[in-house]
Amino acid sequence: MSLLKRNNWWLWILLGIGSAGVSIFFLGALLEVFDRKAWYAKWYYWALGIILFFFPAAVMLVIFYLQTLTSVCKKLEVPGAEIYALPYAWLICIIVPIIGWVLLIILLIYVHIWCLVKLYQGKGEKYLK
């Protein structure tokens, strides 16, 4: 059973809800969006983040999550890449209180839902092996 087939889109909904969105890492692995030379593949960055009182590691994990999410959306051809693919949009949403935080939540929901829509439309099937 290949999870990228069109008729398995409902499974991604269940995985997303059951794992609180962490299933995007598994989807990213299936779509091969990870780079072995990127910052997140180097163990010493994570070790340094954990040694420095865990806070930097948590920030690194959120950045890694957002980077994986946007990479998956680019692979699945989600509309709006010119907005969500830029780090500035995410930074502005985090920095600006209230309105920015609401927009951050809306942007996260938008990206997750469109990933599911694109899986339903069969955009993931071209990455099957």
Side-chain angles (χ1 to χ4, degrees), residues 78-103:
V78 172
E82 56 277 350
I83 295 173
Y84 65 76
L86 295 172
Y88 305 114
W90 298 98
L91 286 173
I92 289 172
C93 285
I94 291 171
I95 292 172
V96 177
I98 315 285
I99 296 171
W101 300 336
V102 170
L103 289 176

Side-chain angles (χ1 to χ4, degrees), residues 18-117:
S19 69
V22 179
S23 64
I24 203 72
F25 292 120
F26 184 57
L27 183 58
L30 289 175
L31 293 175
E32 298 176 356
V33 297
F34 299 119
D35 183 17
R36 294 195 184 273
K37 296 180 182 177
W39 66 271
Y40 50 78
K42 296 178 175 53
W43 66 270
Y44 47 86
Y45 287 136
W46 294 101
L48 186 63
I50 291 171
I51 289 171
L52 294 175
F53 304 114
F54 187 70
F55 178 73
V59 172
M60 288 168 49
L61 188 62
V62 169
I63 292 170
F64 178 47
Y65 177 77
L66 290 175
Q67 187 174 0
T68 304
L69 183 62
T70 56
S71 297
V72 164
C73 288
K74 283 182 188 177
K75 280 265 188 156
L76 293 176
E77 302 168 4
V78 172
E82 56 277 350
I83 295 173
Y84 65 76
L86 295 172
Y88 305 114
W90 298 98
L91 286 173
I92 289 172
C93 285
I94 291 171
I95 292 172
V96 177
I98 315 285
I99 296 171
W101 300 336
V102 170
L103 289 176
L104 177 71
I105 293 169
I106 291 170
L107 188 58
L108 280 170
I109 292 170
Y110 169 83
V111 172
H112 277 284
I113 289 175
W114 267 102
C115 279
L116 293 171
V117 168

